[in-house]
Coordinates of all heavy atoms in Angstrom, one line a residue:
I1 N 15.6 -11.9 11.6 CA 14.9 -11.6 10.4 C 14.0 -12.7 10.2 O 12.8 -12.6 9.8 CB 15.6 -11.3 9.2 CG1 16.5 -10.0 9.3 CG2 14.9 -11.3 7.9 CD1 15.6 -8.7 9.5
R2 N 14.4 -14.0 10.2 CA 13.4 -15.2 10.1 C 12.4 -15.2 11.1 O 11.2 -15.5 10.7 CB 14.3 -16.5 10.2 CG 15.4 -16.7 9.1 CD 14.8 -16.7 7.7 NE 15.7 -16.8 6.6 CZ 15.5 -16.8 5.3 NH1 14.2 -16.5 5.0 NH2 16.5 -16.9 4.4
I3 N 12.7 -14.8 12.3 CA 11.6 -14.8 13.2 C 10.6 -13.7 12.9 O 9.3 -13.8 12.9 CB 12.2 -14.6 14.7 CG1 13.0 -15.8 15.1 CG2 11.0 -14.3 15.7 CD1 13.8 -15.6 16.4
L4 N 11.1 -12.5 12.5 CA 10.2 -11.5 12.1 C 9.4 -11.9 10.8 O 8.3 -11.6 10.8 CB 11.0 -10.2 11.8 CG 10.3 -8.9 11.2 CD1 9.2 -8.5 12.3 CD2 11.2 -7.9 10.8
Q5 N 10.0 -12.6 10.0 CA 9.3 -13.0 8.8 C 8.1 -13.9 9.1 O 7.0 -13.9 8.6 CB 10.3 -13.8 8.0 CG 9.7 -14.1 6.5 CD 10.7 -14.7 5.5 OE1 11.6 -15.5 6.0 NE2 10.7 -14.5 4.4
G6 N 8.4 -14.8 10.1 CA 7.3 -15.7 10.6 C 6.1 -14.9 11.3 O 4.9 -15.3 11.2
L7 N 6.6 -13.9 12.1 CA 5.6 -13.1 12.9 C 4.7 -12.4 11.8 O 3.5 -12.2 12.1 CB 6.2 -12.3 13.8 CG 6.9 -12.8 15.0 CD1 7.7 -11.8 15.8 CD2 5.8 -13.5 15.9
L8 N 5.3 -11.8 10.7 CA 4.5 -11.1 9.8 C 3.6 -12.0 9.0 O 2.3 -11.4 8.7 CB 5.5 -10.4 8.8 CG 6.4 -9.3 9.3 CD1 7.3 -8.7 8.3 CD2 5.5 -8.2 9.9
V9 N 4.0 -13.1 8.7 CA 3.1 -14.2 8.1 C 1.8 -14.4 9.0 O 0.7 -14.5 8.6 CB 3.8 -15.5 7.7 CG1 2.8 -16.5 7.3 CG2 4.8 -15.2 6.6
F10 N 2.1 -14.6 10.3 CA 1.2 -15.0 11.3 C 0.2 -13.8 11.4 O -1.0 -13.8 11.4 CB 1.7 -15.3 12.5 CG 0.7 -15.4 13.6 CD1 -0.2 -16.5 13.8 CD2 0.6 -14.3 14.6 CE1 -1.2 -16.5 14.7 CE2 -0.3 -14.5 15.8 CZ -1.2 -15.5 15.7
G11 N 0.7 -12.6 11.4 CA 0.0 -11.5 11.6 C -0.9 -11.1 10.4 O -2.1 -10.7 10.5
N12 N -0.4 -11.4 9.3 CA -1.3 -11.2 8.0 C -2.3 -12.3 8.0 O -3.4 -11.9 7.5 CB -0.4 -11.3 6.7 CG 0.2 -9.9 6.5 OD1 -0.5 -8.9 6.1 ND2 1.4 -9.7 6.7
V13 N -2.2 -13.6 8.5 CA -3.2 -14.3 8.6 C -4.4 -13.9 9.5 O -5.4 -14.2 9.2 CB -2.8 -15.8 9.1 CG1 -3.8 -16.7 9.5 CG2 -1.7 -16.4 8.1
V14 N -3.9 -13.4 10.7 CA -5.0 -12.8 11.5 C -5.7 -11.7 10.9 O -6.9 -11.5 11.1 CB -4.3 -12.3 12.9 CG1 -5.3 -11.6 13.9 CG2 -3.6 -13.5 13.6
I15 N -5.0 -10.7 10.2 CA -5.7 -9.6 9.5 C -6.7 -10.3 8.5 O -7.8 -9.6 8.3 CB -4.6 -8.8 8.8 CG1 -3.8 -8.1 9.9 CG2 -5.2 -7.9 7.7 CD1 -2.6 -7.1 9.2
G16 N -6.2 -11.3 7.8 CA -7.2 -11.7 6.8 C -8.5 -12.3 7.4 O -9.6 -12.1 6.9
M17 N -8.3 -13.0 8.5 CA -9.5 -13.6 9.2 C -10.3 -12.5 9.9 O -11.6 -12.5 9.8 CB -9.2 -14.5 10.3 CG -8.4 -15.9 9.9 SD -8.1 -17.1 11.1 CE -6.9 -16.1 12.1
C18 N -9.7 -11.4 10.3 CA -10.4 -10.3 10.7 C -11.3 -9.5 9.8 O -12.2 -9.0 9.8 CB -9.4 -9.3 11.5 SG -8.9 -9.8 13.1
G19 N -10.6 -9.5 8.6 CA -11.2 -8.9 7.5 C -12.5 -9.5 7.0 O -13.5 -8.9 6.8
I20 N -12.6 -11.0 7.0 CA -13.7 -11.7 6.7 C -14.7 -11.5 7.7 O -15.9 -11.2 7.4 CB -13.3 -13.1 6.6 CG1 -12.3 -13.4 5.5 CG2 -14.6 -14.2 6.5 CD1 -11.8 -14.9 5.4
A21 N -14.4 -11.5 9.0 CA -15.2 -11.2 10.1 C -16.0 -9.8 10.0 O -17.0 -9.7 10.3 CB -14.5 -11.6 11.4
L22 N -15.0 -8.9 9.8 CA -15.5 -7.5 9.6 C -16.7 -7.3 8.4 O -17.6 -6.7 8.6 CB -14.4 -6.5 9.4 CG -14.7 -5.0 9.4 CD1 -15.4 -4.6 10.6 CD2 -13.6 -4.1 8.8
T23 N -16.3 -8.0 7.4 CA -17.2 -7.9 6.3 C -18.5 -8.6 6.5 O -19.6 -8.0 6.3 CB -16.6 -8.7 5.0 OG1 -15.4 -7.9 4.7 CG2 -17.5 -8.7 3.9
A24 N -18.4 -9.7 7.1 CA -19.7 -10.4 7.7 C -20.6 -9.5 8.6 O -21.8 -9.5 8.5 CB -19.4 -11.7 8.4
E25 N -19.8 -9.0 9.6 CA -20.6 -8.1 10.5 C -21.2 -7.0 9.9 O -22.4 -6.7 10.2 CB -19.6 -7.7 11.6 CG -20.3 -6.8 12.8 CD -19.3 -6.1 13.7 OE1 -18.0 -5.9 13.2 OE2 -19.6 -5.8 14.8
C26 N -20.6 -6.3 9.0 CA -21.1 -5.1 8.4 C -22.3 -5.5 7.3 O -23.3 -4.7 7.2 CB -19.9 -4.3 7.6 SG -18.8 -3.5 8.8

């Protein structure tokens, strides 16, 4: 569960950066 927790945090960091990039592109 701790490993999953870390992966989810990392995954959301990537989602946040992708969101900023998508907004800039659009």
Side-chain angles (χ1 to χ4, degrees):
I1 290 299
R2 293 300 179 188
I3 293 173
L4 177 60
Q5 194 176 33
L7 290 174
L8 291 177
V9 170
F10 172 75
N12 277 287
V13 170
V14 174
I15 289 175
M17 292 189 295
C18 288
I20 294 174
L22 179 63
T23 298
E25 179 187 23
C26 292

